[in-house]
Amino acid sequence: MKKISTEIDYQFNWNDLVKFFFYYDDRLKIGLITNGIIYTVKISIFVLILSFITGLITGFIISSTKGVIKELFKLYIVVLRNIPPLIVMFIFYFFIGSSFAKVLNLDTIFSNRLFALILTAIFTPEQIFVPFISAAMGLAFYESAYIAEIIRGGINGIEKGQIDAGTALGLNRIEVYLYIVVPQAIEKTLPSLIGQFVSIIKNTAIASVVAIPELTFQAMEILASSRLILEIWIIIFLIYLVINLFISYLASMVESRIRRKYK
């Protein structure tokens, strides 16, 4: 048999990438990639905060309650963990996003210049506010199911004797969990939580399907107007790598401080 060999004749052009970070047009402006980084960071922060709070509350409820409430929250986790995140995002985008906009009366809010500036700075302009919030909430609730299971495992790993000791000291049930159980559970589960946080940042790439101009969306926009195929994907790969390594580094510092505090 004859061997078939192919050679890729690809000429890299790194110089043309600069304008996608910054360019000058009467004044210095940010390019598509920089804009994508900003939106990726924004949606990641929103999802990280909301998913952690929701997951912590869900894990706490499952570990400390019984009956119908516990079973409903367990069903919530089972359902979300067994469907793709893209489906969750579409559900929030098509069915919840529009209702969310009507309830908040976004047209009136954005008509106020001060509120419009604040919301644009924190989130997005009015044109993509609803898709942004829908995508972020969909991802947050999806990821919260995994965080809840991590927290539940950490809480169940706390010795019952410590809970009894807290009760004997006069603490009520909420205080026992708040001051004794939850801090230890977070310490035990921190490595798993770090991995889940990194997964959240990577999963923000699917927000591109609802036209959120994050990194992946901007990469596709650049590819449609240029031939910088390998250059763009290499740069996007490196940016995601740097962001996730930075998050892992910060998380490891927090973990070290927590471990020193509780030693």
Side-chain angles (χ1 to χ4, degrees):
M1 296 178 64
K2 292 184 178 181
K3 291 184 178 180
I4 300 176
S5 62
T6 59
E7 182 179 350
I8 300 176
D9 184 18
Y10 188 89
Q11 300 296 322
F12 284 92
N13 186 9
W14 297 104
N15 292 331
D16 283 352
L17 282 176
V18 176
K19 64 183 179 183
F20 296 116
F21 286 92
F22 295 96
Y23 66 94
Y24 190 83
D25 183 16
D26 295 331
R27 61 186 178 86
L28 191 64
K29 296 182 179 180
I30 62 173
L32 293 177
I33 293 178
T34 305
N35 193 52
I37 294 173
I38 293 171
Y39 275 102
T40 295
V41 171
K42 281 184 177 182
I43 195 171
S44 296
I45 292 173
F46 189 95
V47 174
L48 283 170
I49 294 173
L50 183 58
S51 63
F52 180 73
I53 294 173
T54 307
L56 184 63
I57 293 172
T58 303
F60 171 80
I61 290 174
I62 291 176
S63 302
S64 60
T65 59
K66 296 179 181 180
V68 178
I69 295 177
K70 179 177 182 178
E71 294 304 317
L72 286 175
F73 275 88
K74 286 176 68 175
L75 178 63
Y76 160 80
I77 291 176
V78 169
V79 170
L80 285 176
R81 291 185 66 185
N82 286 279
I83 57 177
L86 188 60
I87 303 299
V88 180
M89 185 181 297
F90 279 145
I91 291 172
F92 272 82
Y93 179 69
F94 289 111
F95 299 102
I96 298 177
S98 56
S99 301
F100 180 79
K102 291 178 181 178
V103 170
L104 291 181
N105 198 4
L106 289 180
D107 291 337
T108 302
I109 293 175
F110 273 95
S111 64
N112 184 298
R113 187 173 181 180
L114 178 60
F115 286 159
L117 287 173
I118 294 173
L119 290 175
T120 300
I122 298 175
F123 299 103
T124 68
E126 183 180 4
Q127 295 82 359
I128 57 172
F129 185 84
V130 171
F132 180 91
I133 294 297
S134 301
M137 290 180 65
L139 276 176
F141 279 99
Y142 174 81
E143 297 291 345
S144 70
Y146 292 88
I147 293 176
E149 278 294 278
I150 294 172
I151 296 295
R152 182 193 62 79
I155 291 176
N156 290 343
I158 305 300
E159 294 180 5
K160 189 176 183 298
Q162 296 195 41
I163 299 176
D164 294 336
T167 304
L169 290 172
L171 299 177
N172 60 41
R173 190 176 185 84
I174 294 177
E175 288 174 333
V176 167
Y177 274 87
L178 185 62
Y179 298 119
I180 297 176
V181 177
V182 172
Q184 292 185 74
I186 292 177
E187 180 193 2
K188 290 176 179 293
T189 60
L190 200 53
S192 299
L193 288 173
I194 293 170
Q196 197 61 43
F197 291 159
V198 171
S199 176
I200 288 172
I201 296 171
K202 292 186 293 184
N203 283 342
T204 58
I206 65 175
S208 60
V209 300
V210 291
I212 305 301
E214 47 72 62
L215 271 173
T216 304
F217 180 89
Q218 300 291 29
M220 300 299 293
E221 290 288 296
I222 295 171
L223 290 176
S225 60
S226 72
R227 296 181 179 180
L228 305 173
I229 301 173
L230 292 181
E231 293 93 334
I232 288 299
W233 288 123
I234 290 172
I235 288 296
I236 298 301
F237 157 77
L238 291 174
I239 291 172
Y240 273 114
L241 181 64
V242 169
I243 291 174
N244 285 323
L245 287 176
F246 179 69
I247 293 296
S248 298
Y249 173 73
L250 289 180
S252 64
M253 289 180 61
V254 173
E255 181 181 5
S256 299
R257 289 193 177 188
I258 290 176
R259 292 191 184 282
R260 285 200 300 267
K261 182 178 179 180
Y262 286 100
K263 275 186 178 180

